[in-house]
């Protein structure tokens, strides 16, 4: 997003929100609302992981990180954790951002199904049943513990 239109990723990046209201991004006085809950330890470790990741990438890729501030990194990480799908690449399971597939709201049961295995290199979602024109489609973010909802969505 920092380099703008020349980036081949610009169409996908341009639809991402400027801010995602994840607790990991909250000021300390607001994050303290979770003190004593099962969310608090995860929140602290997630924040530390993101800061450590920023420091490591900045150390190892200093030229690419010129002008990138911690706030930019936190924005990118918040988009990644709230928008990725699990996929299989070359036999390995990994996460991938799938532009526009991340726009579906969560609901169980889901209207959509997808395979972790890519179909000829493409991520394909299909509806489970006939859908009337104009009907909102829902995807499942999976079965999650409440603390994971708070930390990632």
């Amino acid at each position: 997003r920092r380099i703008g239109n020349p980036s081949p990723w610009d169409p996908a990046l341009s639809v991402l929100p400027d801010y995602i209201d994840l607790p990991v991004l909250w000021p300390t006085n607001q994050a303290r609302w979770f003190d004593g809950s099962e969310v608090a330890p995860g929140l602290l470790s997630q924040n530390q992981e993101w800061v450590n990741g920023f420091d490591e990438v900045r150390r190892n890729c200093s030229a690419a990180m010129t002008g990138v501030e911690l706030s930019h990194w936190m924005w990118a990480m918040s988009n990644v954790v709230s928008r990725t799908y699990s996929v299989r690449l070359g036999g390995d399971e990994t996460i991938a951002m799938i532009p526009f597939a991340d726009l579906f709201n969560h609901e169980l049961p889901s209207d959509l199904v997808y395979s972790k295995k890519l179909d000829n290199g493409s991520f394909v979602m299909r509806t489970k049943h006939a859908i009337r024109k104009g009907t909102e489609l829902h995807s499942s973010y999976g079965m999650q513990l409440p603390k994971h909802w708070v930390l990632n969505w």
Side-chain angles (χ1 to χ4, degrees):
R1 210 175 197 189
R2 184 174 58 93
I3 64 173
N5 288 335
S7 168
W9 299 103
D10 187 59
L13 295 173
S14 68
V15 300
L16 295 175
D18 292 328
Y19 180 76
I20 298 174
D21 193 21
L22 292 178
V24 71
L25 303 175
W26 292 358
T28 305
N29 64 323
Q30 288 179 315
R32 288 196 156 305
W33 294 342
F34 292 108
D35 284 357
S37 74
E38 66 176 319
V39 172
L43 186 59
L44 292 173
S45 67
Q46 185 179 48
N47 186 284
Q48 193 58 56
E49 280 179 34
W50 291 11
V51 170
N52 291 346
F54 173 74
D55 290 341
E56 184 176 345
V57 171
R58 193 169 52 179
R59 251 190 330 274
N60 295 313
C61 306
S62 58
M65 294 293 282
T66 302
V68 178
E69 298 174 16
L70 180 59
S71 62
H72 301 137
W73 181 265
M74 298 300 257
W75 170 83
M77 290 301 298
S78 66
N79 275 283
V80 169
V81 301
S82 65
R83 287 177 158 63
T84 54
Y85 282 81
S86 182
V87 297
R88 223 176 275 297
L89 292 174
D92 296 324
E93 192 165 313
T94 189
I95 58 171
M97 289 183 77
I98 312 292
F100 304 107
D102 65 329
L103 298 176
F104 294 111
N105 287 321
H106 168 77
E107 186 171 280
L108 289 173
S110 170
D111 299 312
L112 304 166
V113 64
Y114 76 95
S115 171
K116 289 183 180 187
K117 185 174 182 250
L118 300 182
D119 185 2
N120 292 323
S122 297
F123 180 86
V124 177
M125 289 183 122
R126 297 187 189 337
T127 59
K128 291 180 178 179
H129 47 80
I131 304 291
R132 290 177 56 165
K133 182 178 178 178
T135 302
E136 180 180 1
L137 296 174
H138 295 93
S139 180
S140 169
Y141 300 169
M143 299 299 290
Q144 305 290 333
L145 294 171
K147 67 180 179 180
H148 292 134
W149 288 110
V150 172
L151 292 172
N152 300 314
W153 293 283

